[in-house]
Amino acid sequence: MLRIAVPNKGSLSEPASAMLHEAGYRQRKDRRELVLVDAENEVEFFFLRPRDIAVYVGSGKLDIGITGRDLLLDSGAQAEEIMQLGFAGSTFRYATRPGTAKEVTDFAGMTVATSFSGLVTQHLADNGVHASVVHLDGAVETAIQLGVAEIIADVVETGTTLRNAGLEIIGEPILKSEAVVIRGKDAPGDDPKVRQFLRRMQGVLVARRYVMMDYDIRVEHVEKAVALTPGLESPTVSPLHHEGWVAVRSMVPAKDAQRIMDELYELGARAILTTGIHACRL
């Protein structure tokens, strides 16, 4: 069986399980379950702490896993990213009191507090900065107020929490993270079970981004209509019983669907419908 690590809690857990369910895999009904066997799909899921997943996968104990890019890099494990999943996005940045520093190169001799000590240590080294790194588990924004550090490094969404603590963001982002699929660096590069898993996950990503659009239009307007709905290869065009009309079916980006429907209507298209796509293979 393909052995897959899945986050058991936190912001990665529910979206990961939802995506796996959409991809046709069984998922646990009880959050206390640590192992789930999906015999029909020949997969065994292990629900682990997100921070531990890269370690298990990198050691070869598990075949692949879902975790955050930040957690992967912070772990230092012998694992690598093989697919982006498009959820749990975050930006990792430095912050400090106004006037303390402007760039990473100003951190020399200072102390940086963070929950991602491995990631920050590597980033400082890459920039040639000699600074101390203090590991804290959460609420790092108080480290400056309590005198533990002059700088903090943390996940930033809106920046409101930092501003409320009297801090400002400095320098360029350390990292832009999201949920990713990982495998061991020494794992076989062409495992058919892994390929099948990735195809399923890619199918979910495409299904979420597109809708199927159907509409009827006069023959003389087909070329202009098809320019609006080109599909992936080309749309399906079928003659209707009413002479001079055709039915068109095409995949269109979900985010553009309403605008495309408006433009098709102005061209003379009627019976314009959109339907969700639950799964696909490209």
Side-chain angles (χ1 to χ4, degrees), residues 35 109 118 153 161 169 201 208 225 231 251 255:
V35 180
T161 301
I169 296 169
M201 299 300 274
R208 289 178 173 182
M251 288 173 62
K255 63 182 180 63

Side-chain angles (χ1 to χ4, degrees), residues 31 49 56 128 130 155 174 177 184:
R31 295 179 65 86
R49 291 179 68 248
Y56 282 103
H130 297 283
V155 172
I174 303 168
S177 183

